[in-house]
Amino acid sequence: EQCVLGEVFETGKSRNCKHVHMRGDGSKVHVDILLSPLKDDSGSVTHVVEAIRDVTDLIQAYEALQESEEKYRLLVENANEAIFVIQDGMLRFFNIKNIELIGYSKEELTSTPFINFVHPDDREVTLGRYLKRIRGEELPGVNVFRIIDKAGNIKWAEVNSVLISWEGRPAILNFLNDITERKKAEEALSESEQRYRNLIENAPDVIFTLASNGTITSLNPAFEKITGWPRSEWL
């Protein structure tokens, strides 16, 4: 490491530096050194006073913090969820998943109120939940609403939100999953069930189901037309 002692003698100016020194047992110690010149009556430097402070614990804590922040950054940036922080109605922090999901640039996301990305029919409820949560009111953690990406596509989002402190002020930390495909599957299943129900209800033949003990558990309307018996008496 470069020693600045000669520089202080030459320039007559104080210097500060950080070095790694070796202890007697061979272990390393991080030190912060302040070098101050002592001058004679003519202004020439005759001595240099070195004040050495052990900052090993501080350096180790800083390195641990950096390592922790790096792990946190990798975790957030590679998450399958869109993670973002809302404060004062604006996005203060978000991972790359948000850009992939909604298609807007980083600049567009940070300069636009978050509610603008929400489907118009869901904005009132979504904004109301945000304001209640920012006031500290108890609300269900998970909410479902629709968002609109830059191309105008409507997507379903499931969001888990929690109140946090961001730079000393209240904010909302959100974990968002795109559940559009799940919603489509649910709608398709519901539509399929409706078609099945219509088919059974309008069939000309008697269709019924039996439990394992022989009890009739369901009957379609054709039963009454053919037998004249009310379905309620047989179920």
Side-chain angles (χ1 to χ4, degrees), residues 5 10 59 149 234:
L5 179 61
E10 182 179 346
I59 293 295
D149 67 15
W234 287 83

Side-chain angles (χ1 to χ4, degrees), residues 11-31:
T11 64
K13 296 180 180 180
S14 298
R15 281 293 308 272
N16 180 268
C17 64
K18 290 180 173 59
H19 282 175
V20 177
H21 287 181
M22 304 300 294
R23 293 191 176 98
D25 60 3
S27 62
K28 295 180 179 180
V29 54
H30 294 268
V31 294

Side-chain angles (χ1 to χ4, degrees), residues 115-129 144-148 154-156:
I115 201 65
N116 288 16
F117 304 118
V118 178
H119 190 283
D121 293 344
D122 296 339
R123 286 178 184 174
E124 183 177 353
V125 173
T126 302
L127 183 59
R129 287 173 178 163
V144 175
F145 58 90
R146 289 163 292 178
I147 58 177
I148 303 176
I154 298 174
K155 297 181 178 180
W156 283 93

